Amino acid sequence: MMENEETPQRPAASDAATEAEAVRRSRRAFIGWGLAGLAGLGGWGWLVSRPQEGGIPGPLRRVLEFNENVSGAYFKETRLAPEFARSRATTPRVNGKYGLEDELDPAAWRLRVQSIDGQAREFTLADVQALPKIEMVTELKCIEGWSVIVHWAGARMADFLSHYQLPAAVPYLLLQTPNEKYYVGLDLKSALHPQTLLCYEMNGRRLTPAHGAPLRLVTPLKYGIKHLKRLGSIAFTTERPKDFWAERGYDWDSGH
Ligand SMILES: Nc1nc2c(c(=O)[nH]1)N[C@H]1C(S)=C(S)[C@@H](COP(=O)(O)O)O[C@H]1N2
Ligand SMILES: [Mo]
């Protein structure tokens, strides 16, 4: 299924039946997947942004609190990677080409997101670019011992997951290139970190294929090995997923 940017519509506050339906659907959303349906009624974004409004029935209020707890727990007391002046940004060398072996057709590219029960949804680059554009100037550190300051732009993974109502109640994510030859495991806390971006620009320009076009991960509290280039799929997992460099002796978390 393809998603377009949705303008959340506020359901009529007086329409109890509509709200009851929203509650029913949002419960199901956190169990499995049926999240797209809720989007039509306002969705996760609307629910969490309007907690102050009166007249919200108890069950809906509880859903609100659950959502706030999920996101709040991950944004609180999280260390931030240092940011730098844009003038200090340079272009890193191309390092690591696993998963980039084939030519990529940008028009055919999709980001596939798979829930724990195997259902999948697909997103275009426009779907990602419809989210707030975050820019940050952070250090890309490679375990080989070099580091480069880079000006990145993209969408927060946290915004992507919440806007498109993708389940955030699962402890791990597996990210892979379209051909699945390079793969990175991330814990949910790292995925929801405010500096974890789905990046489409490097130093003010669209990513080049060698740097991961059309979309790559950037997560500056971790070494470069986790910054998967040419992201093709994200799968939610309950067990700690495989990781290309962890299988070759590096630390699975690879934080620094
Ligand atoms: N698909 C893919 N992504 C990858 C790699 C790779 O081999 N394949 N190497 C990683 C490593 S080790 C580093 S240091 C960074 C380097 O990013 P850059 O090539 O944009 O400098 O990409 C990371 N992402
Ligand atoms: Mo690296």
Side-chain angles (χ1 to χ4, degrees), residues 65-80:
E65 284 165 2
F66 175 67
N67 284 339
E68 283 165 353
N69 289 343
V70 169
S71 54
Y74 293 109
F75 279 95
K76 251 179 259 155
E77 61 163 310
T78 311
R79 185 167 68 92
L80 290 176

Side-chain angles (χ1 to χ4, degrees), residues 178-193:
N179 69 4
E180 304 189 350
K181 287 189 176 161
Y182 194 78
Y183 38 90
V184 161
L186 270 190
D187 59 278
L188 184 66
K189 183 175 171 172
S190 298
L192 296 182
H193 186 278

